[in-house]
Structure formats: structure tokens, C-alpha cells
Amino acid sequence: MAVLYLSDPARGAVFHAAFAKALPDIAFHIGEAPDPLAVCWLVTWTVPTDLKRYPNLRLIFSVGAGVDQFDLAALPPGVGVVRMLEPGIPQQMQEYVTLAALALHRDLPAYLGQQRSGLWKAGRNMPAEDRRVGVMGLGVLGQAALAALRPFGFPLAGWARSLRQIDGVECFTDLDAFLARTDLLICLLPLTAETEAILDAGLFAKLPRGALLVHAGRGRQLDHAALIEALDEGQLSAAVLDVTAPEPLPHGHPLWSHPQVILTPHVACQTRPVDGARHVIGAIRADLAGTPIPGLVDRRRGY
Ligand code: NAP
Ligand code: GLV
């Protein structure tokens, strides 16, 4: 039985060393497998086109938290898909969301603009108690983000498909009611058919006027033109974006230089190879033991 690793080779070497220690009886190949029939597990960001070469494949592991880069419907029916669950991912998302939410709450985009034009002009600091924060997606990352923001005193809410119960967080399944009470919206949804382009003009119109946006889900969830229009027209005040479609944005795209936008190059979270390898090893052990596989995705649901 073998693992085939198809992502960054330097990170693959870290996985290889961890496998040699933890599962020495399982072969670990980077880039190519000498015996495709032995490949039971694939660790990758994208699915290779020649998947038929691996008829004994059991699981495909994403090296990231998201699995939207896979065409789930096109994969062989018996093959499971596993997302990356390692503690560095929610930890880094906590850092990113805190950075972005505080930057918006404390008017950083406006002050950066003032600095560039040599203007020293203090605005009014809004108390955190008056800034209602709402998180779209209440999974691993949404809940981590809410926990990180709790100490600042923002009134917190979250929206998900199923009704969740989270201490100190008003949980919604009704999107309109959630948006109506949200001054600072944070999107941490997985990309699925239902969430594609969810951040559109209609959604922005349901937020209180002058609302703020942090988007660290996936670029295709955002209607970029609608965002620019909402910013230019004042429905939104500012945004921090970690993800766009495409990545990177084309040269000259208005979001590169929009004064109310802070753009980061999809860096909210990066899988740490030592912890990533630990997750994959644990999941393979579970697969071999016939116990529940941590991070196994519901292929029909898409996350
Ligand atoms: P997760 O644990 O699977 O949680 C997903 C959450 O989204 C769940 O609460 C789910 O609702 C909710 N949801 C899904 N579809 C929905 C819909 N149609 N309507 C309402 N709620 C919906 O996922 P996660 O680990 O938190 O990760 C979320 C996403 O973050 C990833 O898929 C990835 O795209 C993105 N991400 C970005 C970065 C970055 O660097 N920018 C890093 C890692 C991940 P239920 O609770 O009802 O199931
Ligand atoms: C990054 O975006 C990930 O999915 O881990």
C-alpha cells in the first residue's frame, strides 16, 4: 500500500519523514508512484487527470482546508475526500480575522489613505459594543474566528445552514435577519454551488448602510463588480479581502488600488507540513482500522 504526494516537494519531504517514522510499512512517493496499483491514498491540491491509473485509490487528501478545487461529482464513487484539519489553520485564521476586523473597526483603510496624502485628521473611534460582527459559516474556522473576537466586546452573531448553539453568539439560519444586524461581515464559507457569488449586490443591500466586509472564504463567493459598486456608492465602507477570483487579480483591476480595500494574497492560513502530515497519518490509520476518518467530506454537500 502506498501514498502518492503530488504537492510542493519540499513540504512533501516533511511528510515523507513523518511517514517513515509513523507508518514505515506504507510506501510514500513524491510526484510519481513506481507501482500505480499500490496507490491507496493521494495527497494533493488538484486531482490529476489520469486518476484511472490508481484503481485501488481509497482517499484523496486536500493539502488545504478547502476541497472546492476538486470536481467532487467527477471523482470515482468509492473514493473519499478528506480536507486538511491541522491546528495551525484555525490559529492562523484567528490571527487574520482579528487583524482584518480590527483594521476595519479602527478605520485603517481611511488612515492609510490619509497618510499617503499627508493628512493628519482624527476620526471618532466607535466603541466595540456598537459594532455588530457577523460571521458567515460556523464550522472550524467560523467558530475559531468568533472565539478570537470575543475578548474585544463586539456583539457577535453567526450564520450557517443548520442552527448552531455557541456561547455568546447569536446564531442564525435566516440570512436576511442575520445581515440586518451585521455591521461587520466576515465570510468564512466553503465554496459550493449554494455559496458561489453569495456576496453580491442583493446581499450587500441587506446590510446596514456603511457596513464593512472581511472575506477569507473563496474568491468565487464574491461578486467583485458588486463590491466595487457598493463601496463607491457608500453601501459598504471598506473591505479586507484575502481571496479573489482569479488569483492574482489581473493587472490594473480596480481592487488593486481601491482606497477602501486592503488586499492580501490568500495568506490567511497556510498548512504547516508537520501538522498536516500528522493529520494525514491519523486519517490513514483510521481508514485502515475502519473507524471514522477525521475531515472526511460529505461529497454531495460539497464541504
Ligand atoms: P467547515 O468546518 O466545513 O464549516 C463550514 C461552515 O459553513 C458550516 O458552518 C456550514 O454550515 C456553513 N455553510 C456551508 N454551506 C452553507 C450554506 N449554503 N449556507 C449557510 N451556511 C453554510 O469549514 P471550515 O474549515 O470552517 O472552512 C471554511 C472555508 O474557509 C474553507 O472551505 C475554505 O474555502 C476557506 N479557507 C480559506 C483560507 C484562507 O487562507 N483564506 C484558509 C482555510 C480555509 P453547517 O454548520 O450548517 O454545516
Ligand atoms: C486555504 O485556502 C485552504 O483551503 O487551506
Side-chain angles (χ1 to χ4, degrees):
M1 298 179 102
V3 176
L4 177 58
Y5 179 97
L6 293 176
S7 193
D8 174 65
R11 289 161 164 265
V14 177
F15 272 70
H16 196 174
F19 267 82
K21 253 189 179 169
L23 291 174
D25 294 338
I26 290 178
F28 189 97
H29 306 292
I30 300 177
E32 205 170 323
D35 176 10
L37 295 183
V39 174
C40 298
W41 304 283
L42 205 57
V43 182
T44 189
W45 178 247
T46 51
V47 171
T49 48
D50 58 352
L51 208 57
K52 286 201 171 78
R53 290 188 70 213
Y54 314 109
N56 297 313
L57 195 60
R58 298 157 72 105
L59 296 173
I60 300 177
F61 290 90
S62 169
V63 291
V67 296
D68 54 279
Q69 70 279 18
F70 300 151
D71 181 356
L72 295 176
L75 297 177
V79 173
V81 172
V82 183
R83 66 196 177 117
M84 181 52 68
L85 288 182
E86 64 96 346
I89 294 176
Q91 184 190 336
Q92 291 167 81
M93 190 56 88
Q94 288 189 314
E95 294 170 356
Y96 187 86
V97 163
T98 304
L99 175 82
L102 292 183
L104 293 178
H105 171 60
R106 296 301 302 267
D107 305 316
L108 195 63
Y111 289 132
L112 290 174
Q114 287 189 192
Q115 180 188 354
R116 281 190 285 270
S117 50
L119 178 64
W120 185 278
K121 184 168 169 256
R124 179 83 48 89
N125 293 339
M126 179 186 278
E129 298 72 39
D130 295 342
R131 184 90 70 190
R132 297 163 297 174
V133 172
V135 176
M136 299 176 85
L138 293 174
V140 173
L141 298 182
Q143 293 198 39
L146 285 159
L149 293 174
R150 179 168 304 158
F152 296 101
F154 301 113
L156 298 174
W159 174 73
R161 237 156 47 143
S162 50
L163 189 59
R164 298 283 187 138
Q165 284 207 319
I166 306 170
D167 259 7
V169 178
E170 194 181 356
C171 292
F172 290 85
T173 52
D174 177 342
L175 180 58
D176 289 4
F178 164 78
L179 294 172
R181 58 69 63 206
T182 293
D183 304 306
L184 196 168
L185 181 68
I186 299 171
C187 180
L188 290 173
L189 288 167
L191 178 63
T192 64
E194 288 81 40
T195 67
E196 177 139 20
I198 191 168
L199 302 174
D200 65 1
L203 181 143
F204 297 146
K206 291 174 183 161
L207 291 165
R209 190 156 179 84
L212 301 159
L213 173 69
V214 176
H215 184 32
R218 284 288 185 262
R220 278 165 52 201
Q221 290 161 343
L222 174 67
D223 179 336
H224 296 50
L227 170 66
I228 292 167
E229 200 177 320
L231 289 167
D232 291 349
E233 182 271 324
Q235 176 57 20
L236 293 186
S237 295
V240 175
L241 309 178
D242 186 51
V243 289
T244 60
E247 290 178 1
L249 288 170
H251 181 71
H253 190 284
L255 286 175
W256 278 116
S257 55
H258 200 290
Q260 290 145 276
V261 174
I262 293 177
L263 199 57
T264 53
H266 200 145
V267 289
C269 309
Q270 293 165 347
T271 301
R272 294 173 181 162
V274 170
D275 294 319
R278 193 174 296 131
H279 164 64
V280 173
I281 287 166
I284 288 178
R285 282 190 171 132
D287 183 27
L288 292 172
T291 55
I293 296 166
L296 189 69
V297 160
D298 179 337
R299 282 182 49 182
R300 270 179 315 173
R301 206 174 56 163
Y303 66 96

